[in-house]
Structure formats: structure tokens, C-alpha cells
Amino acid sequence: MNAPINKDWLQAEDTAHDKAMKIERETHKLEKRLCRQMGQAISDFNLIEAGDRIMVCMSGGKDSYGMLDILLKMQARAPVQFELIAVNLDQKQPGFPAEVLPAYLQSLGVKFHIETQDTYSIVKDKVPEGKTMCSLCSRLRRGILYKVAGELGCNKLALGHHRDDMLQTFFLNMFFGGKLKGMPPKLVSDNGEFMVIRPLAFVAEADLIRWAEHRQFPIIPCTLCGSQENLQRKQIGNMLREWQKKFPGRIENMFAALQNIVPSHLMDPQKHDFKNLKTTGMPMPDGDTAFDDESFSEPSLPGIQVIPMSS
Ligand code: SF4
């Protein structure tokens, strides 16, 4: 006589199957979102044009792997032809696994170049013990990357900064630099020779983390130089995450605000000619209404009291 089928086993199999299907669906949605957001940035800011030769800067971190991965997908379906060359700068940091990126890039079949320059020793030599090394290190790195871009005949450099990096930079400049200045999706390099583009401008960091896990990128740790972490950027990152937890949607709103600026409602006389402002007698869509519209007000932040305007 056949043994009775244990229903628990069948149920466990069903649950595992449902779970696998759910993960597959979610991953498919994530891939579509990443491609859509990169496509949107390319189109909104005209990041890529026919004939471009783009140097894709690879650090070995999740963001640059994700950027190259999605750029390759976009290249395969783009209406115009452009070239991608992945470039990594081996700065000779102790313990840098020099074989990891070449092996990965070879397996993809993409053009790549590894530039080896011992900036680590220079930085260690020049920066006093205990001082932050990042500023000199990034200046050296930028100079080398521009030189390599020129040698490779590239007209554009793609950097893997994402939406959250851009917001963090905006707040860093405001809190510590007294400037309303962010990180643009497209900017001419400071030597005037190259266009620097950020194709991940619309992509959330959380999505890049999930994508890196799914694709099993061979991530190279970014702490090899032993430099102190950038504390201010870390603080801002924590602040933004806290806000988003307490007020879901705030990151999206702040990011939207970066693309929706009203200079006449700020105070920069270089951006708006306050001195020569004249009345026109005509209705102005952006004109003063004498009272602020508070219908969009959010709950007050802890410790900050919102005082209603008296009528
Ligand atoms: S963290 Fe290290 S490698 Fe990165 S910029 Fe700073 S010093 Fe350079």
C-alpha cells in the first residue's frame, strides 16, 4: 500500500515556487525601472549622442558596475551608435585586487583599459597623518582620468553618481558651503575638453544595491586606502534616510525640486534682476500672492514649530 502523501511537503514546495516567481517578477520590474530611468536621463539631458565615445569610469563599486551594466543594455537597443570603453584607475592601494575588474570586463567582452598610477603613495606622502586624503586623491584621480580620456579619444566621461549622491551633494553644499549647488547630470569638465555625464541621475541607490546583489557583481571594497570616511556626507546620508522613513516621499519631492527652480523666489541677484524689477500691470503666474499657499505643508519636524501666518 502507498504511503499517504504528506501535505506539508507539497505546501512547502508551492511556497518555495511562489517565492521564486515573486523574486523573478520583482527583478524583472527592477531591470525595467533601471533602464527606463537611465533612458529618461539620457533623453531629458541629451547625455548621449550619435558617434560618442564614452569612457565609463569604473571604481569597482556597485554604482559603477550597475552603470556599465545598464549602459550596455541601452547601447544594444539605442537608436544611435555610440561606443563604451570601461576604464579603471588602479591607484596602488594596498590589497587592491588588480585581477578582479579585468577578469569581469573580459567576461563581458567590452573594451576596457586599466590605468595604473600610484597616487596612493603620493597622497600618503603629502597629506599629514590624521588629515583627510580624499581631496588630493580625487584631484589626482580626475587629472589622470582626463588624460586617459584624451589618449583613448573619448569625448565623454560617464560617472556612476546616482540620485541619492546628487541630493547629498546638494545638502553638503548648502549646510557646509553656503551654496545652492548640486551635482548636475551633465557638465563640461573643468579643463573644458570633455563632457562629464551621470546616466544614473534618476536612479535610487537602493535599486543599485538590489541590482548588484542580483547580478553578483565582484565588488571591490572602497576602504582599501584606509582613509577616514567622509563624515559630513555620511551624516547627510543618514539625515536623508531618517527623513524618508518619517515622511515617505520626501526624497522624491526634494529631487523633483532640483529640477523645478524658481529664481525669482530665491535671493540671488545674479540669477534674478531684483534691482530693475518693474510692475507690468499684467497678471504674473509666479507673482506674489501676499500670502503663502500652505496647502502643501507637511507635519513639522520634531523640535521645529510651524507658526501659522496671521491673516
Ligand atoms: S576614500 Fe580613499 S580612494 Fe577614495 S577619494 Fe578618499 S583617499 Fe581616495
Side-chain angles (χ1 to χ4, degrees):
M1 206 170 98
N2 286 340
I5 297 171
N6 185 331
K7 287 211 177 104
D8 287 350
W9 284 106
L10 289 179
Q11 255 167 13
E13 220 171 88
D14 279 354
T15 316
H17 178 256
D18 288 352
K19 222 169 145 187
M21 292 294 287
K22 190 169 170 225
I23 292 173
E24 202 181 310
R25 271 199 310 273
E26 292 295 318
T27 309
H28 183 61
K29 271 200 325 215
L30 173 61
E31 180 174 348
K32 273 176 74 174
R33 185 161 65 244
L34 291 169
C35 290
R36 192 185 65 241
Q37 289 174 333
M38 185 180 279
Q40 186 76 49
I42 291 172
S43 142
D44 282 7
F45 305 111
N46 196 22
L47 297 186
I48 296 179
E49 294 149 288
D52 276 346
R53 195 170 161 89
I54 304 171
M55 178 167 127
V56 184
C57 301
M58 301 287 298
S59 65
K62 65 176 192 324
D63 304 335
S64 56
Y65 276 118
M67 169 173 67
L68 177 66
D69 205 30
I70 308 298
L71 271 173
L72 287 167
K73 290 181 196 293
M74 303 305 288
Q75 188 187 37
R77 63 175 80 152
V80 295
Q81 299 255 318
F82 60 93
E83 276 183 85
L84 297 172
I85 305 177
V87 169
N88 168 252
L89 172 59
D90 176 353
Q91 297 177 268
K92 286 285 152 218
Q93 292 167 359
F96 181 76
E99 68 295 343
V100 169
L101 264 166
Y104 172 79
L105 295 168
Q106 232 149 23
S107 75
L108 289 185
V110 294
K111 281 190 197 157
F112 72 92
H113 170 79
I114 308 290
E115 179 74 11
T116 305
Q117 300 263 353
D118 186 358
T119 60
Y120 177 77
S121 301
I122 301 175
V123 171
K124 275 275 176 204
D125 189 46
K126 297 261 182 268
V127 180
E129 196 69 39
K131 294 274 176 227
T132 178
M133 307 188 290
C134 297
S135 144
L136 175 61
C137 177
S138 16
R139 254 184 297 139
L140 290 172
R141 189 166 50 209
R142 193 167 58 218
I144 295 168
L145 288 175
Y146 288 171
K147 179 184 76 75
V148 173
E151 287 166 1
L152 293 173
C154 294
N155 61 327
K156 288 186 178 163
L157 278 84
L159 302 180
H161 297 114
H162 46 70
R163 182 196 72 176
D164 302 73
D165 287 326
M166 290 174 148
L167 265 180
Q168 282 171 17
T169 304
F170 176 76
F171 281 102
L172 274 169
N173 281 326
M174 186 156 55
F175 290 178
F176 304 104
K179 267 187 198 162
L180 271 192
K181 179 182 164 185
M183 185 185 254
K186 186 180 187 185
L187 193 68
V188 174
S189 62
D190 56 5
N191 67 1
E193 288 179 25
F194 306 102
M195 190 62 77
V196 176
I197 59 171
R198 296 186 167 93
L200 296 177
F202 289 145
V203 176
E205 181 172 26
D207 279 350
L208 289 166
I209 295 173
R210 286 177 55 210
W211 190 244
E213 278 165 11
H214 165 66
R215 299 287 276 167
Q216 303 264 291
F217 294 138
I219 307 279
I220 299 173
C222 56
T223 48
L224 296 171
C225 64
S227 179
Q228 317 81 338
E229 277 186 280
N230 185 335
L231 273 181
Q232 291 172 335
R233 186 171 282 278
K234 212 175 155 200
Q235 276 170 11
I236 301 275
N238 290 340
M239 178 194 82
L240 294 176
R241 273 186 291 278
E242 274 300 300
W243 279 357
Q244 182 74 347
K245 234 194 284 166
K246 283 192 188 132
F247 310 108
R250 181 166 284 190
I251 294 263
E252 288 74 13
N253 274 346
M254 289 189 298
F255 193 70
L258 292 182
Q259 301 160 72
N260 192 9
I261 297 162
V262 188
S264 64
H265 285 49
L266 294 170
M267 292 176 65
D268 186 343
Q270 307 297 323
K271 299 288 177 290
H272 188 68
D273 189 1
F274 291 97
K275 278 192 178 161
N276 295 308
L277 194 61
K278 302 263 187 303
T279 54
T280 61
M282 302 294 289
M284 306 277 288
D286 264 344
D288 204 300
T289 52
F291 300 100
D292 281 345
D293 177 6
E294 290 187 70
S295 55
F296 51 78
S297 295
E298 293 175 339
S300 60
L301 291 172
I304 298 177
Q305 198 191 353
V306 174
I307 302 167
M309 292 180 71
S310 54
S311 51

